[in-house]
């Protein structure tokens, strides 16, 4: 969703801001703009559509003089994606420009109040109230005006502000929206995430809720809401700049699919020591585990499907009941969560608004909370009692791939870890460890053994509907496979528990309807095979996904996708690979904008 950047230094600001905005493009947006301090006035340039148009409009930023500025990519919420609604927004006196990520919930009453006081509004956005409040409260100190303004705001915000009265400064404040300061030499920055900063500096400060920052080219000061200076830790970003570049691939999504063997290895390796699963970050004892009566997993989208898959593994190995609930539902459901609940929240970005709210709900009810997160220093990572990082590296494509598989693997590791705390036979434990260690290699095999996927995509890309079916973990993978197909190829795709077909959905099966049947669970393979027979009898075209050695499937289906022999407990992680590739090549056939699908955002920071 919206992305913000700020820069103050000695080089021209606009090109730096535009570069930063390009790095934030993946978050999803529909308009963009920059505001730069030019001597005693602020120059604003905005466009609807892509950053490329803003670059063109500003001569790659060179036509905009000035060394201090802020920039923004907007994903429309309040008001259509027009130039008027694009950020930055200016105060009526032209002294202030602001950029905002988040939602101001009480903007209507503030707008009414400000209108009554004579302030004039140029846009339909919730954001514009902020800049007029700052103007109203300004008495010679931007910092103080900002504190008084934020005291009036309800909702979420990461704000960047510039002011003609303090022309070398950029100001920032956050509440429930990500914001990171970049510490350079003779220049300083802020941005919604580190990808916009790493080409300039690897030294960053993670701003926390309720903290204000004031940056000049040579200084960075962070305050709390009473104006007290805070001593903030500077962290070093360790990943390579190239990790956030396409590296010769046509799309980030394809690159990230191919990175999965390495990403999963990076998730597993630090947690395996001397043949044991270790989670130094948890510090859980057998007694702690015994106090847990149930596990509740909550998340959104693909992270939720990772949870659905993890449920089978946790229940099978630990025999603890596991409930999986969508975060957007859990937060409003008066959930049965207490101090005997382990609440596991899963989020690649660590900034998903619904997941944050569900986590807070769980904390308030006394649950032990554990977050599985990819983005370092993100809100969820900080809020949770325990945090386990997936170490997948930056994920840029909106459609998650390595984010999902590394979440699965953390759930597997946790299941084995908990099972061991409860007491596992040494031989069973050793077998599970060997199965985990084999996963990176097996993921690579799953990539390599399906060269026919582009051809299959050519066959299915024009379908009006695709059905994904499976049972148990196969069903969880079917859900994720269908979501991948929907979000990037824009084809209607639905997943069904195979046994449910005859309770209604089979009515939709007709001649040539594509059914993607997941048969990677030996124990119930026969049952899904029966469902294949049923849909084929009604004319369906079946694309079966199964183990390479499954001879039976060869006579049952029309087309095939294969995975190597994977431990059935962990097979979801190899099974999803061909489905990711199928979605990718189908989207390619359909000429879709694969890395930035329409209407979607990478990190959903609003409810
Ligand atoms: C997945 O491809 C989606 N883009 C989306 O469902 C995503 O998984 C969901 O929004 C949750 O995001 P998070 O993991 O960052 O919390």
């Amino acid at each position: 969703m919206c992305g913000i950047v700020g820069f103050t230094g000695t080089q021209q600001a606009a090109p730096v801001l535009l570069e930063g905005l390009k790095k934030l493009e993946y978050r999803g947006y529909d308009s963009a703009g920059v505001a730069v301090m030019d001597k005693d006035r602020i120059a604003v340039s905005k466009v609807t559509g892509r950053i490329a148009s803003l670059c063109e409009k500003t001569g790659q930023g060179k036509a905009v003089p000035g060394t201090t500025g802020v920039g923004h990519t907007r994903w429309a919420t309040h008001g259509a994606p027009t130039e008027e609604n694009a950020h930055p927004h200016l105060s009526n006196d032209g002294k202030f420009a602001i950029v905002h990520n988040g939602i101001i919930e009480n903007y209507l009453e503030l707008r009414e109040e400000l209108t009554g006081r004579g302030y004039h509004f140029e846009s339909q956005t919730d954001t514009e109230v902020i800049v007029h409040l700052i103007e109203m409260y300004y008495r010679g100190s931007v910092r103080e005006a900002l504190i008084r303004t934020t005291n009036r705001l309800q909702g979420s915000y990461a704000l960047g502000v510039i002011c003609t009265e303090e022309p070398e400064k950029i100001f920032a404040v956050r509440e429930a929206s990500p914001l990171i300061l970049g510490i350079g030499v003779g220049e300083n920055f802020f941005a919604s995430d580190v990808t916009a900063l790493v080409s300039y500096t690897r030294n960053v400060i993670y701003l926390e809720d309720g903290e204000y920052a004031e940056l000049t080219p040579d200084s960075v000061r962070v305050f709390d809401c009473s104006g007290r200076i805070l001593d903030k830790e500077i962290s070093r970003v360790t990943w390579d700049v190239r990790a956030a570049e396409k590296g010769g691939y046509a799309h980030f999504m394809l690159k990230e699919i191919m990175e999965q063997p390495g990403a999963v290895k990076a998730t597993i390796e630090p947690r395996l020591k001397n043949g044991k699963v270790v989670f130094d970050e948890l510090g859980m004892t057998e007694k702690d585990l015994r106090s847990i009566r149930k596990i509740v997993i909550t998340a959104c989208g693909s992270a939720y499907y990772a949870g659905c898959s993890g449920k089978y593994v946790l229940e099978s190995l630990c025999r603890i009941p596991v409930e999986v609930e969508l975060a957007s539902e859990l937060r409003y459901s008066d959930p049965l969560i207490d101090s005997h609940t382990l609440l596991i929240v899963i989020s690649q970005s660590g900034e998903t608004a619904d997941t944050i709210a569900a986590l807070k709900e769980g904390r308030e009810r006394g649950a032990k909370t554990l977050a599985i997160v990819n983005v370092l220093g993100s809100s969820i990572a900080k809020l949770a009692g325990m945090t386990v990082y997936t170490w997948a590296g930056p994920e840029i494509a909106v459609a998650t791939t390595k984010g999902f598989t590394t979440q699965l693997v953390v759930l597997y590791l946790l299941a084995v870890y908990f099972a061991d705390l409860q007491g596992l036979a040494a031989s069973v434990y050793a077998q599970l460890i060997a199965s985990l260690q084999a996963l990176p290699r097996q993921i690579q095999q799953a990539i390599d053994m399906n060269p026919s996927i582009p051809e299959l995509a050519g066959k299915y890309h024009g379908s009006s509907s695709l059905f994904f079916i499976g049972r148990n973990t196969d069903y969880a993978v079917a859900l994720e496979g269908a979501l991948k197909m929907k979000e990037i190829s824009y084809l209607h795709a639905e997943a069904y528990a195979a046994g449910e077909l005859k309770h209604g959905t089979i009515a939709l099966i007709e001649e040539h309807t594509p059914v993607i049947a997941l048969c990677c669970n030996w124990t119930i393979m026969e049952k899904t095979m029966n469902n294949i027979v049923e849909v084929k009898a009604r004319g369906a075209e079946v694309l079966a996904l199964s183990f390479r050695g499954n001879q039976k499937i060869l006579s049952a289906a029309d087309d095939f996708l294969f995975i190597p022999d994977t431990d059935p407990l962990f097979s979801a992680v190899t099974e999803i690979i061909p489905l990711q590739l199928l979605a990718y090549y189908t989207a390619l056939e359909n000429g879709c904008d694969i890395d930035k699908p329409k209407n979607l955002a990478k990190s959903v920071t609003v409810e």
Side-chain angles (χ1 to χ4, degrees):
M1 299 215 140
C2 306
I4 68 177
V5 289
F7 172 77
T8 175
T10 48
Q11 59 174 311
Q12 202 176 353
V16 178
L17 296 171
L18 290 171
E19 273 315 299
L21 292 180
K22 280 185 204 161
K23 297 277 167 33
L24 298 180
E25 279 194 288
Y26 77 97
R27 295 169 67 90
Y29 70 104
D30 35 43
S31 58
V34 291
V36 176
M37 192 73 62
D38 181 16
K39 300 196 186 78
D40 55 352
R41 64 176 278 279
I42 295 170
V44 177
S45 307
K46 305 185 199 185
V47 294
T48 55
R50 295 295 183 206
I51 306 285
S53 314
L54 189 59
C55 290
E56 204 179 312
K57 187 171 183 175
T58 59
Q60 310 305 318
K62 293 195 185 82
V64 185
T67 58
T68 305
V70 289
H72 191 262
T73 47
R74 173 173 186 255
W75 189 84
T77 55
H78 299 64
T82 59
E83 271 193 34
E84 294 72 41
N85 290 332
H87 303 206
H89 291 287
L90 279 176
S91 57
N92 285 171
D93 63 7
K95 281 186 180 171
F96 300 91
I98 68 156
V99 287
H100 166 221
N101 176 11
I103 283 186
I104 305 304
E105 285 161 5
N106 58 337
Y107 83 102
L108 277 177
E109 66 191 68
L110 290 170
R111 190 173 171 123
E112 206 174 293
E113 175 189 329
L114 287 158
T115 309
R117 288 173 186 266
Y119 289 91
H120 166 72
F121 282 77
E122 302 273 350
S123 75
Q124 288 110 46
T125 63
D126 53 334
T127 299
E128 202 182 339
V129 296
I130 306 172
V131 76
H132 300 318
L133 282 173
I134 296 175
E135 179 184 336
M136 184 170 91
Y137 287 128
Y138 182 68
R139 301 277 180 279
S141 158
V142 179
R143 179 156 41 100
E144 277 165 26
L146 206 48
I147 292 174
R148 291 190 69 186
T149 297
T150 49
N151 282 339
R152 300 287 315 277
L153 304 179
Q154 285 162 19
S156 58
Y157 47 83
L159 286 179
V161 182
I162 53 173
C163 172
T164 53
E165 300 292 320
E166 301 183 47
E168 282 206 323
K169 286 184 185 165
I170 49 175
F171 299 86
V173 54
R174 70 158 272 178
E175 183 65 44
S177 268
L179 198 55
I180 296 149
L181 311 180
I183 319 302
V185 178
E187 56 185 21
N188 288 307
F189 313 76
F190 59 70
S192 301
D193 69 53
V194 286
T195 47
L197 301 173
V198 281
S199 4
Y200 301 100
T201 177
R202 288 168 173 280
N203 295 330
V204 300
I205 291 175
Y206 294 98
L207 214 58
E208 300 203 20
D209 284 353
E211 291 181 348
Y212 300 76
E214 199 175 290
L215 295 84
T216 68
D218 304 308
S219 68
V220 173
R221 295 195 296 169
V222 180
F223 305 88
D224 65 13
C225 59
S226 58
R228 194 169 55 93
I229 294 197
L230 302 171
D231 188 14
K232 294 287 291 180
E233 185 195 343
I234 297 181
S235 307
R236 184 108 181 123
V237 178
T238 49
W239 50 261
D240 200 295
V241 181
R242 279 171 301 176
E245 288 168 358
K246 277 191 210 153
Y249 286 96
H251 296 95
F252 279 110
M253 184 180 176
L254 187 58
K255 176 181 175 240
E256 288 159 8
I257 290 173
M258 299 304 175
E259 280 174 350
Q260 289 177 108
V264 162
K265 196 167 178 215
T267 312
I268 294 176
E269 264 184 357
R271 273 97 189 201
L272 289 187
K273 285 183 192 144
N274 305 321
K276 298 231 29 136
V277 176
V278 286
F279 272 109
D280 296 333
E281 57 269 67
L282 294 188
M284 254 181 135
T285 62
E286 189 193 332
K287 190 167 163 248
D288 293 332
L289 192 64
R290 295 221 178 278
S291 74
I292 292 168
R293 297 211 184 109
K294 72 170 174 182
I295 295 174
V296 174
I297 301 180
T298 192
C300 300
S302 296
Y304 168 76
Y305 297 143
C308 292
S309 189
K311 169 187 162 80
Y312 292 101
V313 185
L314 281 159
E315 286 187 339
S316 160
L317 287 179
C318 311
R319 308 311 295 167
I320 302 173
V322 180
E323 293 168 12
V324 193
E325 183 70 272
L326 289 164
S328 53
E329 289 293 315
L330 184 137
R331 63 183 295 191
Y332 296 119
S333 67
D334 193 11
L336 292 169
I337 288 177
D338 61 21
S339 58
H340 295 293
T341 308
L342 173 64
L343 179 69
I344 300 182
V345 300
I346 309 175
S347 175
Q348 188 285 131
S349 64
E351 301 294 347
T352 302
D354 285 321
T355 312
I356 292 175
L359 170 58
K360 287 183 176 162
E361 184 69 38
R363 272 171 50 137
E364 273 162 30
R365 288 170 190 253
K368 293 177 185 59
T369 56
L370 189 164
I372 300 174
V373 176
N374 190 38
V375 176
L376 222 66
S378 55
S379 302
I380 291 176
K382 288 191 168 148
L383 272 170
M386 299 169 274
T387 296
V388 176
Y389 284 111
T390 50
W391 301 124
E395 189 179 64
I396 307 296
V398 165
T400 183
T401 52
K402 61 177 181 170
F404 175 77
T405 44
T406 52
Q407 287 163 354
L408 284 178
V409 166
V410 169
L411 287 163
Y412 301 162
L413 287 161
L414 283 173
V416 175
Y417 176 75
F418 291 156
D420 183 40
L421 282 183
Q422 293 169 323
L424 258 185
S427 57
V428 177
Y429 193 49
Q431 181 50 53
L432 288 168
I433 298 292
S435 296
L436 286 167
Q437 282 171 321
L439 291 178
R441 178 175 43 83
Q442 290 166 340
I443 291 172
Q444 187 60 55
Q445 289 170 339
I447 294 173
D448 297 338
M449 63 173 49
N450 290 291
S452 62
I453 290 178
E455 202 184 310
L456 290 170
K459 175 172 173 183
Y460 291 112
H461 77 103
S463 313
S464 55
S465 255
L466 295 108
F467 296 91
F468 289 69
I469 60 168
R471 291 167 184 260
N472 292 3
T473 47
D474 285 345
Y475 173 45
V477 179
L479 289 161
E480 170 61 6
L483 179 64
K484 285 282 91 65
M485 187 62 84
K486 275 184 270 213
E487 65 182 337
I488 60 164
S489 76
Y490 311 150
L491 291 186
H492 174 242
E494 288 306 330
Y496 293 96
E500 274 296 292
L501 277 183
K502 58 177 88 58
H503 297 288
T505 314
I506 204 157
L508 298 171
I509 306 292
E510 48 193 35
E511 207 59 33
H512 301 306
T513 304
V515 174
I516 293 136
L518 281 64
C519 299
C520 299
N521 191 330
W522 287 114
T523 52
I524 42 166
M525 180 89 66
E526 294 294 336
K527 303 290 170 195
T528 311
M529 302 272 282
N530 288 343
N531 299 122
I532 294 180
V533 174
E534 284 161 12
V535 293
K536 278 216 63 73
R538 283 148 187 94
E541 198 81 16
V542 174
L543 168 56
L545 167 58
S546 193
F547 296 110
R548 184 107 210 212
N550 183 1
Q551 293 299 320
K552 279 189 182 171
I553 203 86
L554 298 178
S555 54
D558 301 286
D559 296 303
F560 306 94
L561 295 169
F562 294 111
I563 58 165
D565 252 318
T566 316
D567 187 323
L569 261 185
F570 307 142
S571 64
V573 81
T574 47
E575 235 174 305
I576 192 59
I577 306 292
L579 299 184
Q580 293 169 345
L581 286 164
L582 183 68
Y584 173 82
Y585 283 106
T586 306
L588 202 62
E589 284 282 343
N590 287 352
C592 302
D593 191 349
I594 294 180
D595 286 336
K596 297 188 280 282
K598 66 178 181 206
N599 304 336
L600 295 181
K602 181 68 182 162
S603 150
V604 185
T605 52
V606 297
E607 196 182 333

